[in-house]
């Protein structure tokens, strides 16, 4: 993977004179945890229970939307009306229950190696997730000891808009105390990529799921890589900048 062309286009597009990453901003689902297959199955099944066809691919395309928006998108597309609040609540509760029953904590292969290498190199690390589980920090500390604390996390509790709005990544820049051209976003979803790019940050998309690379590059990703392992193999290049 040749990062130099991607960096040149990033600088040309943003007008920044230089790119020198000091902070790495990580999405969680589909990046630090291989959790998207469980979300996809759960959404598909919950929609099927109310007669709405919503494929696993649809779930990946919509990753990052709130439960309410996801249900309304599906209803509008297929039933040509928005869902009622009652329908939204029931479908989302059903999805959450299915997800709880099937999901396992699967760390993304090579995420630990990437995080530890960055930490050793003195880079700042910030988690930026639309998730709002209360147990998030203890789960993260179990999987990635010594990396995350509330000071370097932006969750659904912190933001008003959420992805694809740039707000969560702008907050992450503030937490890290860096400028947009001193950071790298690592995302797996088109809406997350839009948020990173909207904040003028160099955005690496990891295609860890069932999307086409085109879904991520058309969202504006500066680089699309097939896996966290591929990012790990290329990390030294980013650390030299
Ligand atoms: Mg994600």
């Amino acid at each position: 993977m040749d990062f130099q062309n991607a960096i040149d286009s990033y600088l040309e597009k943003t007008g920044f004179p230089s790119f020198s990453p000091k902070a790495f901003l990580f999405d969680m689902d589909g990046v630090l945890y291989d959790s998207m297959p469980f979300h996809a199955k759960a959404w598909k099944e919950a929609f099927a229970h109310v007669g709405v066809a919503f494929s696993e691919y649809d779930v990946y395309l919509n990753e990052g939307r709130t439960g309410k928006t996801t249900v309304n998108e599906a209803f509008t597309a297929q039933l040509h009306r928005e869902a009622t609040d009652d329908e939204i609540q029931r479908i989302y509760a059903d999805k959450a229950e299915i997800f709880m029953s099937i999901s396992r904590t699967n760390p993304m292969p090579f995420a630990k190696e990437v995080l530890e290498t960055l930490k050793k190199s003195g880079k700042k690390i910030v988690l930026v997730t639309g998730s709002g589980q209360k147990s998030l920090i203890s789960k993260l500390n179990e999987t990635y000891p010594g990396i995350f604390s509330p000071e370097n996390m932006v969750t659904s509790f912190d933001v008003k808009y959420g992805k694809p709005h740039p707000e969560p990544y702008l907050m992450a820049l503030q937490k890290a105390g860096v400028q947009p051209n001193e950071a790298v976003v690592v995302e797996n979803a088109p809406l997350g990529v839009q948020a990173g790019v909207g904040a003028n940050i160099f955005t690496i998309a990891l295609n860890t799921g069932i999307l086409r690379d085109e879904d991520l590059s058309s969202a504006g990703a500066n680089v699309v890589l097939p896996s966290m392992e591929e990012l790990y193999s290329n990390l030294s290049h980013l650390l030299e900048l």
Side-chain angles (χ1 to χ4, degrees), residues 27-213:
D27 172 50
M28 186 175 73
D29 283 301
V31 171
L32 297 183
Y33 292 100
D34 193 9
S35 47
M36 280 307 294
F38 307 119
H39 285 291
K41 277 199 184 70
W43 270 120
K44 184 184 169 189
E45 205 176 312
F47 275 119
H49 288 164
V50 294
V52 172
F54 200 72
S55 68
E56 296 186 10
Y57 185 74
D58 290 330
V59 178
Y60 276 84
L61 276 183
N62 284 282
E63 185 196 343
R65 291 200 200 284
T66 62
K68 180 179 177 166
T69 314
T70 304
V71 173
N72 271 329
E73 292 263 322
F75 267 61
T76 308
Q78 287 183 42
L79 308 178
H80 310 292
R81 66 167 177 91
E82 294 214 323
T84 65
D85 285 349
D86 186 54
E87 284 169 328
I88 291 167
Q89 271 179 15
R90 272 188 293 128
I91 295 167
Y92 191 63
D94 191 23
K95 183 262 169 178
E97 195 181 318
I98 299 165
F99 179 77
M100 290 268 283
S101 72
I102 61 174
S103 75
R104 296 184 304 276
T105 300
N106 283 350
M108 187 62 73
F110 286 89
K112 194 169 189 173
E113 287 84 346
V114 167
L115 292 171
E116 285 175 353
T117 304
L118 291 173
K119 193 170 182 189
K120 265 187 219 133
S121 314
K123 303 297 178 186
K124 290 180 180 164
I125 295 167
V126 183
L127 178 82
V128 183
T129 180
S131 176
Q133 303 161 43
K134 295 232 159 54
S135 57
L136 207 59
I137 185 74
S138 49
K139 180 169 120 176
L140 283 161
N141 281 335
E142 227 167 84
T143 320
Y144 304 111
I147 303 286
F148 296 103
S149 69
E151 289 73 51
N152 67 343
M153 289 169 63
V154 177
T155 73
S156 69
F157 299 115
D158 302 304
V159 298
K160 187 172 173 194
Y161 300 107
K163 303 169 189 176
H165 196 283
E167 177 196 26
Y169 281 112
L170 294 172
M171 287 182 81
L173 292 176
Q174 276 188 348
K175 287 210 172 199
V178 300
Q179 298 299 312
N181 61 332
E182 297 174 323
V184 171
V185 163
V186 185
E187 265 287 350
N188 73 306
L191 298 179
V193 167
Q194 282 179 38
V197 171
N200 278 326
I201 305 169
F202 187 85
T203 299
I204 298 174
L206 304 184
N207 194 356
T208 60
I210 57 176
L211 294 173
R212 300 168 303 151
D213 282 355

